[in-house]
Amino acid sequence: MGSTSSTTEPTGTPAEIAIIGGGAGGLAVLKAVLDSPQYKAGLWKPTIYEAREDIAGTWLPAPPEGDPPLTPLYDSLTTNLPHPCMAYTSFPFKPETPLYPVAALVLQYFRDYASHFALTPHIRLGIRIERANRDAGRWRLSLAGGETTHADLLVVANGHYTRPRYPDTPGIHEWVKAGRAMHSVYYRRPHALGRKLLVVGGGPSGRDIAQDMRTVADLVVHAGDEVPASKERIVGRGRVAAFEADGVVRFQDGTVERDIDYCILATGYEMWFPFLPEEVLSRSEPPPAPPLPTDLHNSTYHVFPLARHVFPLQERYPANSLAFIGLPIRVIPLPLMEAQARAVLAAFADPKLLEGEGEKVLARTARVRDPHKYHVFEGHEQFNYRDELYRLAARASTPVAGPGSIADGAAYTVADWEKELYDNKNVLRTLWVGIEQRGEAEQWLKGVGENGIDDWMAMTRKMLALAKKQNMKEEDVDGGMKQ
């Protein structure tokens, strides 16, 4: 990797850096700031503003109360990625941690991360930012309770698993109003909702909830584009076409299910930034591009136009003064957000890094036919993206990474072992569920991790050898759904 760290004392104007959100993205940005020579020289002052009573965002439990609830975290949630590749590159999980840890272990991981890197003194808990607008060339932050403060760089890391997305399927709103359906943001554990249930959504939460609910129902109908094959007390179906009276549900293939007692909608979430006013971020569909719009738009599916999925290319304020962290979808989020954090600080220190980025945005727009999928990454695209962010940051005329930071200021390159784990995540999770059910996890984990990543790769490759003997392939398994 090498090093491009500068031993020269950094110069520049002192700056306040405000970070909205104390979840995975906000913590990654805060650590990147504390690693910087600018912070160590007293030039940059970072503060996380977290509305809740503790850090960790989605991974911090809360009851299903409010509109919307504080988190969609349900009791049975485990990670759907093996933790060696899921972790921040700067901080692995502890040795002998289950390969796919439960939520409580992930919460403790974030607390350990904050403690290890001394992040806590820079975090203000229980502080909600009500509004962030431009005022005399800076960001004016209005906090709940009447306090006002200012920032030179505003980093938005509030996550996108809060405001539920309801489908526009005919009849669904009538079912919700009648108390016959709810969004999965309110789901916590299996409980009696009827003999025949419908779960809509083929993502990880939809799969987990379908598995949970079959323990309390005679039959679960699991509907969506990519639902697993039918199994005991679960029948897989395609997209829903209409919700009708008396528990009748019609599907797009023309088939019908009757006597549905209740429906849980695992249909995703809207991108939601309630603290950004219209003059900063318009709540609307962007006009067709090219050309790039002069304002920033939030379609609730994507924010546009954003350079590198981070920087707002518009004409109302400097593009390097506002950054969005964690918007990409179908990615390994924590290491990706570390890379975004490095790029954010580099562009803040050297605005010229963003010159010519508009052309790249237009090029991606031309490639991605559905604009709502602008932030969706396919295959290894996420790894190329991470590498590109580090290369971008390494070009900054003013270094923003010093000793102790990722790659020590140079361009980090995603390791092959990270890609290997990601490419086999579903097979590994399926195998791991079986290992835990047979009570074999302790013997598999004994001493693993004490010698770093080599231990974890030896264990997972042993698992993949078993998968090969069983002719188990990534495309044929259901993502490790609990049996």
Side-chain angles (χ1 to χ4, degrees):
M1 296 178 193
S3 175
T4 58
S5 299
S6 173
T7 57
T8 305
E9 188 77 6
T11 59
T13 305
E16 299 277 348
I17 299 175
I19 304 163
I20 301 179
L27 296 176
V29 174
L30 178 55
K31 181 188 181 298
V33 177
L34 299 188
D35 286 341
S36 71
Q38 289 84 351
Y39 167 77
K40 293 170 182 176
L43 295 175
W44 287 354
K45 181 182 178 182
T47 304
I48 282 181
Y49 297 90
E50 169 53 52
R52 299 181 64 188
E53 74 280 6
D54 201 353
I55 60 171
T58 296
W59 298 95
L60 180 64
E65 302 167 355
D67 184 21
L70 295 174
T71 175
L73 182 65
Y74 47 90
D75 292 358
S76 64
L77 181 65
T78 64
T79 68
N80 60 359
L81 294 167
H83 69 69
C85 72
M86 170 188 160
Y88 295 116
T89 58
S90 56
F91 192 72
F93 277 75
K94 292 180 179 179
E96 300 187 352
T97 296
L99 190 60
Y100 291 81
V102 298
L105 291 177
V106 180
L107 172 60
Q108 187 58 50
Y109 170 80
F110 284 118
R111 288 171 171 165
D112 291 344
Y113 178 81
S115 175
H116 182 80
F117 293 113
L119 306 184
T120 305
H122 307 278
I123 302 173
R124 294 188 63 184
L125 298 173
I127 303 294
R128 181 181 301 278
I129 292 183
E130 300 284 2
R131 186 178 177 87
N133 60 293
R134 294 293 287 179
D135 177 25
R138 303 182 77 203
W139 293 100
R140 184 177 188 272
L141 309 179
S142 301
L143 283 52
E147 181 182 351
T148 298
T149 188
H150 288 79
D152 302 281
L153 170 61
L154 178 62
V155 180
V156 175
N158 65 318
H160 47 78
Y161 296 106
T162 300
R163 187 178 180 89
R165 183 182 302 283
Y166 289 91
D168 56 6
T169 311
I172 185 56
H173 294 293
E174 286 73 18
W175 275 48
V176 172
K177 289 178 183 177
R180 199 162 195 162
M182 71 174 180
H183 194 275
S184 60
V185 71
Y186 295 97
Y187 175 80
R188 292 296 180 269
R189 62 190 64 87
H191 55 289
L193 291 172
R195 298 179 61 185
K196 187 175 183 181
L197 307 179
L198 172 65
V199 176
V200 178
S205 60
R207 296 179 179 215
D208 283 347
I209 292 169
Q211 287 294 120
D212 278 355
M213 293 306 294
R214 75 171 179 169
T215 64
V216 294
D218 293 342
L219 180 68
V220 175
V221 179
H222 188 190
D225 288 334
E226 299 177 350
V227 300
S230 300
K231 57 179 65 177
E232 185 182 358
R233 294 198 304 281
I234 298 181
V235 58
R237 302 297 294 271
R239 280 198 173 197
V240 175
F243 294 83
E244 299 181 356
D246 300 322
V248 175
V249 176
R250 298 188 182 276
F251 296 86
Q252 289 185 353
D253 62 4
T255 59
V256 177
E257 287 283 353
R258 302 182 186 279
D259 303 318
I260 299 291
D261 295 307
Y262 200 86
C263 173
I264 299 176
L265 300 163
T267 48
Y269 298 85
E270 297 182 0
M271 291 185 176
W272 188 46
F273 313 96
F275 43 83
L276 294 179
E278 281 288 319
E279 59 268 25
V280 174
L281 175 62
S282 174
R283 298 173 182 86
S284 61
E285 289 282 349
L292 291 179
T294 56
D295 291 326
L296 190 65
H297 297 261
N298 175 22
S299 70
T300 75
Y301 290 91
H302 74 315
V303 178
F304 189 83
L306 287 184
R308 309 285 177 137
H309 305 271
V310 173
F311 304 101
L313 300 183
Q314 39 61 64
E315 298 181 359
R316 292 180 180 267
Y317 45 86
N320 71 328
S321 71
L322 176 63
F324 292 83
I325 296 294
L327 298 189
I329 299 167
R330 294 184 186 171
V331 299
I332 306 175
L334 274 62
L336 182 142
M337 290 188 286
E338 285 180 311
Q340 290 182 325
R342 177 69 63 78
V344 166
L345 298 183
F348 183 60
D350 183 3
K352 291 183 179 180
L353 285 182
L354 298 183
E355 292 178 356
E357 287 292 322
E359 296 178 3
K360 296 183 177 66
V361 172
L362 289 174
R364 180 169 179 83
T365 302
R367 292 195 309 272
V368 180
R369 294 185 178 183
D370 182 352
H372 288 171
K373 295 183 178 180
Y374 185 85
H375 298 308
V376 177
F377 284 20
E378 301 293 345
H380 282 203
E381 184 182 8
Q382 63 168 308
F383 302 125
N384 297 332
Y385 172 69
R386 281 169 56 185
D387 289 345
E388 289 168 0
L389 287 175
Y390 279 110
R391 285 196 292 268
L392 176 74
R395 296 203 311 266
S397 59
T398 302
V400 296
S405 59
I406 306 164
D408 199 11
Y412 182 88
T413 301
V414 178
D416 288 342
W417 66 261
E418 298 178 71
K419 301 174 185 178
E420 181 179 341
L421 288 178
Y422 182 80
D423 290 343
N424 292 284
K425 60 186 180 299
N426 291 334
V427 163
L428 289 168
R429 190 169 187 242
T430 301
L431 289 168
W432 188 253
V433 168
I435 287 170
E436 290 193 320
Q437 290 177 338
R438 293 191 299 272
E440 300 172 358
E442 184 176 353
Q443 67 186 69
W444 274 86
L445 291 169
K446 186 173 178 59
V448 175
E450 292 177 358
N451 300 305
I453 189 58
D454 289 345
D455 285 358
W456 292 109
M457 292 311 299
M459 188 188 89
T460 54
R461 284 170 180 160
K462 182 179 177 182
M463 293 171 65
L464 292 174
L466 291 176
K468 186 176 182 180
K469 289 182 180 180
Q470 299 173 24
N471 198 30
M472 185 184 297
K473 299 178 181 179
E474 182 73 6
E475 61 271 18
D476 296 332
V477 296
D478 58 15
M481 289 173 59
K482 299 178 292 297
Q483 301 298 315

